[in-house]
Amino acid sequence: MKKAIGVFDSGVGGLTVVRELIRQLPCEDLVYFGDTARVPYGIKSRETVIRFSIENILFLLKQNVKLICVACNTASSFALPVVVNHFKVPIVGVITPGAREAVYATQNKRIGVIGTHGTIKSRTYENEIKQLEPSIKVTATACPLFVPFVEEGWLSGKVVMDVARHYLEPLKASGVDTVILGCTHYPLLKPVIRQVLGKKVTLIDSAKQVAMEIKKILAQDCCLAKNGKGRHKYYVSDNPEWFSSIARRFLGEAPKNVSKANSNV
Ligand code: DGL
C-alpha cells in the first residue's frame, strides 16, 4: 500500500506547507494533523510544545506515514532537536531548510528572522544560521499579531501596515537584505512585509524550502511517489467547521476530507 507523508501543525497555518507539498509532489498522499484544540503553540512553553509534538507524531505514525513534516515553526524550533532521531521515519522541520536558503541568499551577511514568541525565544534559526556561516549578523523579532490578522483575513489595510511597520523596524534599522518568514502564517502577509521592507529585501518562505527538502529525502530513500494523483486527508483536534472555513486562504482550495481526531489519547 502507498504510504503517505504526514504533516502536523498547531492549527491551520501548516496548510501553507501542504500547499507547497501538493505543488511540488502532486503524486504523494498526505495526512495532515492540525492541533486546533490546543493552538496557539507560539506562546506555550518549550516543555508543552515538545509534549504536544510527540503526541502529534505518534498520531501520524498510526496513519502509516513514511515521513513526518513538522510544518509549525514553533514546534520545529522546540521539539525537532529532541524528537528527530527517536522515531522510525525521517522527521523534517522547517528551520534548517529556511536557514540554509537565507544564508545562500544574503549578499550583505545580514539576515532578519520573524516568527512567534516561542520561535524567536528559542533562537533556533539564529543558531542554524551561525552554524552555517558564523560571520552573519542575525536580527530576530517576534510578530505575534500577524497570526490572528491572517486567521481573520486581514491581509492588507492601514491597521496591518501600521503593525507591520512597528514590528519590522528593528530589521530595517539593521539593514538586513534577507528575511526568513519563520511562521506558517506569514507567507500570506508577503505583500505587506515587502511593502514595509522594500523590494530589494529577499523574503524566504520556509514552506517552499521544506517541500524541496522532503522531495530530496524521498528521492534518496527511493520512496518518491511518481504516479497518480495524491489523496489528501485532514484531521483536526477541534472544530473542523472553523478549520474548513478558513483553510482555503492557506491552501488555495477548500480541503475535502476533514475529520476530528485527538492526538493525546
Ligand atoms: N504554526 C505556528 C508557527 O509556525 C503559528 C501559530 C501558533 O502560534 O501556533 O510557529
Side-chain angles (χ1 to χ4, degrees):
M1 208 184 81
K2 194 172 161 191
K3 286 193 173 190
I5 297 173
V7 181
F8 82 84
D9 177 51
S10 54
V12 68
L15 294 177
T16 53
V17 174
V18 171
R19 184 180 193 159
E20 266 306 313
L21 285 168
I22 295 174
R23 199 178 67 80
Q24 294 190 36
L25 298 162
C27 304
E28 295 290 348
D29 288 352
L30 300 174
V31 181
Y32 181 85
F33 179 76
D35 200 3
T36 49
R38 304 189 289 194
V39 71
Y41 283 12
I43 50 164
K44 305 246 167 18
S45 69
R46 179 176 178 272
E47 294 69 34
T48 298
V49 173
I50 291 173
R51 179 161 56 85
F52 290 174
S53 299
I54 292 172
E55 289 171 0
N56 300 343
I57 290 168
L58 292 173
F59 173 81
L60 286 173
L61 286 173
K62 282 192 217 142
Q63 317 307 314
N64 196 29
V65 295
K66 59 184 172 185
L67 178 148
I68 291 174
C69 170
V70 186
C72 177
N73 286 256
T74 312
S76 294
S77 300
F78 283 141
L80 192 72
V82 181
V83 300
V84 71
N85 291 320
H86 291 284
F87 294 92
K88 59 182 185 206
V89 300
I91 302 184
V92 187
V94 285
I95 309 293
T96 310
R100 209 182 288 143
E101 182 61 18
V103 169
Y104 178 74
T106 183
Q107 302 283 316
N108 70 0
K109 300 204 170 189
R110 284 163 201 255
I111 295 177
V113 180
I114 53 176
T116 64
H117 282 302
T119 299
I120 300 305
K121 194 167 153 237
S122 75
R123 303 179 79 141
T124 316
Y125 271 114
E126 198 171 333
N127 294 338
E128 285 278 338
I129 291 167
K130 293 272 185 200
Q131 225 171 319
L132 292 165
E133 179 51 68
S135 66
I136 288 176
K137 182 169 182 281
V138 178
T139 307
T141 193
C143 305
L145 286 172
F146 281 179
V147 168
F149 277 151
V150 170
E151 294 192 358
E152 291 299 319
W154 289 35
L155 306 182
S156 61
K158 180 171 169 3
V159 175
V160 185
M161 275 303 283
D162 285 349
V163 171
R165 270 197 206 102
H166 173 78
Y167 279 151
L168 301 173
E169 187 48 44
L171 271 59
K172 284 192 88 160
S174 59
V176 298
D177 71 350
T178 304
V179 171
I180 299 177
L181 307 177
C183 174
T184 46
H185 292 56
Y186 298 179
L188 279 90
L189 288 173
K190 249 188 202 170
V192 169
I193 296 169
R194 201 181 290 287
Q195 208 176 322
V196 174
L197 293 175
K199 285 199 188 83
K200 288 196 184 126
V201 172
T202 307
L203 302 181
I204 305 290
D205 183 340
S206 9
K208 276 205 179 91
Q209 304 307 322
V210 77
M212 280 161 67
E213 177 85 5
I214 288 172
K215 191 172 180 179
K216 205 161 74 189
I217 294 172
L218 292 178
Q220 271 162 8
D221 293 353
C222 304
C223 48
L224 195 63
K226 293 191 183 114
N227 305 305
K229 194 171 178 305
R231 288 164 303 173
H232 311 138
K233 172 77 201 151
Y234 302 89
Y235 293 100
V236 290
S237 50
D238 196 19
N239 213 341
E241 299 77 25
W242 171 81
F243 176 85
S244 300
S245 72
I246 66 166
R248 180 193 282 272
R249 198 174 304 141
F250 296 82
L251 193 59
E253 61 187 31
K256 296 178 202 99
N257 244 332
V258 183
S259 316
K260 191 172 166 193
N262 279 335
S263 64
N264 61 340
V265 285

